[in-house]
Amino acid sequence: MAELELDNLVRIGRLKMEPSAPSEIQGLVQSGIRRLEDAERPELSQESRFDLAYNAAHALALAALRAKGYRSESRYLVFQCLQHTLDLPQAQWRVLDQAHRKRNLAEYEGDMDVDEHLLAALFRVAREVAKRVAKAAP
């Protein structure tokens, strides 16, 4: 069923089919894990930790999408596809959606108001994505 939804996104032009390369997926996973490890360093500012965790989650989610043979230009869609690429529950990818909206406010409007609860949830979900993508990646 997951490929059917992903193929539907290809049909409407939201995703592109592109053969995956194991080295690309491995690089994305390694980058995501390193960033997540760095994000958990308590001596960094909360804003830096959020940025690192958000980008870790994105790299890991992109690895999952690439492993299935798809590519997207949309960060949001990469997160949304996690329900199809890694069978991630909607409640978990919604945390990434919330983080994405917070990231956009920071990037485009300079509003970097990150609370501890969102940061903790982002860490939990990013770790879960890392665990799932490690099992699924070639």
Side-chain angles (χ1 to χ4, degrees):
M1 186 68 137
E3 272 79 24
L4 178 63
E5 281 86 359
L6 296 172
D7 287 342
N8 284 338
L9 290 170
V10 170
R11 264 192 292 289
I12 63 171
R14 299 292 316 260
L15 287 180
K16 296 175 188 170
M17 291 187 82
E18 184 179 309
S20 60
S23 61
E24 176 190 13
I25 296 164
Q26 184 179 33
L28 288 166
V29 170
Q30 288 174 351
S31 173
I33 290 170
R34 275 192 309 271
R35 287 177 180 181
L36 188 55
E37 289 169 354
D38 287 347
E40 292 175 325
R41 294 177 54 187
E43 69 271 16
L44 296 178
S45 71
Q46 192 164 309
E47 291 82 4
S48 292
R49 296 175 73 207
F50 174 84
D51 189 57
L52 285 163
Y54 171 84
N55 284 303
H58 181 262
L60 294 163
L62 183 56
L65 187 63
R66 294 296 300 124
K68 295 283 187 179
Y70 299 90
R71 182 175 297 281
S72 174
E73 302 295 320
S74 165
R75 285 178 167 262
Y76 173 78
L77 192 58
V78 170
F79 290 141
Q80 193 175 26
C81 286
L82 284 168
Q83 64 184 329
H84 306 302
T85 57
L86 296 178
D87 198 28
L88 195 72
Q90 183 175 357
Q92 289 184 337
W93 75 257
R94 288 281 185 204
V95 169
L96 300 176
D97 172 52
Q98 185 179 5
H100 178 74
R101 283 186 270 121
K102 200 59 104 161
R103 175 250 183 206
N104 281 352
L105 283 173
E107 287 287 317
Y108 302 116
E109 297 179 25
D111 180 11
M112 187 59 156
D113 180 29
V114 177
D115 65 73
E116 263 314 303
H117 296 294
L118 177 57
L119 187 58
L122 181 55
F123 285 153
R124 278 193 307 275
V125 173
R127 282 188 218 107
E128 180 63 24
V129 172
K131 183 174 80 174
R132 290 177 184 229
V133 81
K135 287 181 185 176

